[in-house]
Amino acid sequence: MWSRPRGRAERSLSGTVGPAPSSRSWARRPTARLSPGPGKPLAATPLTGRSGLARAVPRREGPQCDHADWKGTTLQNSVESVVAKGGGSGGGSAGHHINSAVVYDACGGSVTSDEAPYDPYDPAITFTTGMVSWPNYAGTINDSHFVSRDRMGRSMAFVARAIEDGLITGGAAWSFGVDDGGSLFIDKNGLATAAGADTFVLLGDHRPEQADPDRYLTYDDYRIWRLRPGGTYDFKHLPTCGCYLRGVIDGIPDRDLCNGTPVTDCG
């Protein structure tokens, strides 16, 4: 039986709540940012090849908005070719972001966990899609500095947006939150292993109860896995158990987002 705590953080609500939309459409809003030209060198999340250890492609780290400008360039194709041949690609912070299927590109500025659930269509929430396509890593949105900068709340908004706007296929999206000093290594079979610090897997497996411009986010029952160093998540055979549940109601996330008792009865 799925259950989760219902205690809410104490917080005042302000601002104008817009009217409910007359209709909802998967293709209603042009949310994905298409990056036509070159910018600065690409960086990416650790992906491992045949050896199980990433062979790095040297790239300079920097804001993911700059990296997103390499979409469709020779550099992007070269990185994908290295991984396809059994090598790997890696990076931290912006490099972690740029490696997911849906990239929070920060081209509209940064957004915090206080802001994003209040309006999941905040102008600072922009995405780039089609940057890379790694095996067994579809439907993902990476986030970094996860605990140190309190980013679970904004990742909840990212996941809700990706599902609501059809930026993913299959109706489910995952956020992988890596904290400072941590890494997430993914082998050729889709097995992700956390190292160095705790990593969080945030799964949204249904459409938001409410996700519209200028309206508070409501999303019930995200599934969250907290991976201690050495912990694994199997992307090829997606687990449905061993997680705890948290949600957002009217823009206010549940308390204690980074801790919970794993559910063992998933029926």
Side-chain angles (χ1 to χ4, degrees):
M1 183 70 159
W2 289 100
S3 63
R4 65 177 174 85
R6 296 289 173 174
R8 300 287 166 184
E10 295 180 3
R11 186 174 177 184
S12 62
L13 301 180
S14 61
T16 302
V17 178
S22 59
S23 63
R24 304 171 76 91
S25 168
W26 285 92
R28 181 170 81 240
R29 308 180 185 98
T31 57
R33 173 183 177 271
L34 303 181
S35 305
K40 297 181 181 178
L42 177 71
T45 302
L47 293 172
T48 60
R50 299 188 188 95
S51 66
L53 296 174
R55 296 203 296 270
V57 178
R59 289 181 300 282
R60 182 170 66 80
E61 294 289 341
Q64 59 263 34
C65 183
D66 294 331
H67 301 334
D69 283 338
W70 284 91
K71 175 180 174 178
T73 66
T74 301
L75 178 58
Q76 176 195 342
N77 296 335
S78 297
V79 173
E80 292 179 334
S81 177
V82 168
V83 174
K85 292 177 181 177
S89 174
S93 191
H96 176 60
H97 282 273
I98 208 70
N99 195 20
S100 50
V102 178
V103 177
Y104 166 60
D105 57 36
C107 291
S110 184
V111 68
T112 70
S113 287
D114 286 332
E115 299 162 340
Y118 264 25
D119 181 4
Y121 287 86
D122 186 291
I125 303 177
T126 57
F127 301 108
T128 293
T129 59
M131 276 292 301
V132 293
S133 179
W134 305 127
N136 302 306
Y137 206 58
T140 55
I141 312 166
N142 291 344
D143 210 347
S144 59
H145 310 290
F146 202 71
V147 177
S148 64
R149 300 187 187 179
D150 186 24
R151 287 180 165 172
M152 180 75 82
R154 78 174 197 174
S155 284
M156 288 176 160
F158 296 168
V159 166
R161 276 284 303 276
I163 296 171
E164 177 68 8
D165 292 345
L167 302 183
I168 47 81
T169 58
W174 290 258
S175 174
F176 271 80
V178 177
D179 200 23
D180 297 348
S183 298
L184 183 70
F185 293 91
I186 306 168
D187 68 18
K188 65 178 182 179
N189 297 313
L191 184 65
T193 302
D198 291 355
T199 294
F200 291 83
V201 182
L202 172 70
L203 168 63
D205 60 2
H206 60 274
R207 289 183 67 183
E209 285 73 21
Q210 177 171 283
D212 293 288
D214 301 319
R215 301 193 70 177
Y216 304 136
L217 173 66
T218 293
Y219 194 108
D220 221 10
D221 291 348
Y222 291 94
R223 302 187 187 190
I224 304 172
W225 288 260
R226 181 169 183 165
L227 306 181
R228 307 290 184 178
T232 60
Y233 188 87
D234 190 343
F235 251 103
K236 191 171 185 177
H237 306 94
L238 294 167
T240 58
C241 212
C243 57
Y244 61 95
L245 303 180
R246 293 291 186 269
V248 179
I249 294 181
D250 291 334
I252 303 179
D254 284 327
R255 297 177 183 272
D256 203 12
L257 295 178
C258 292
N259 296 283
T261 301
V263 174
T264 55
D265 180 4
C266 303

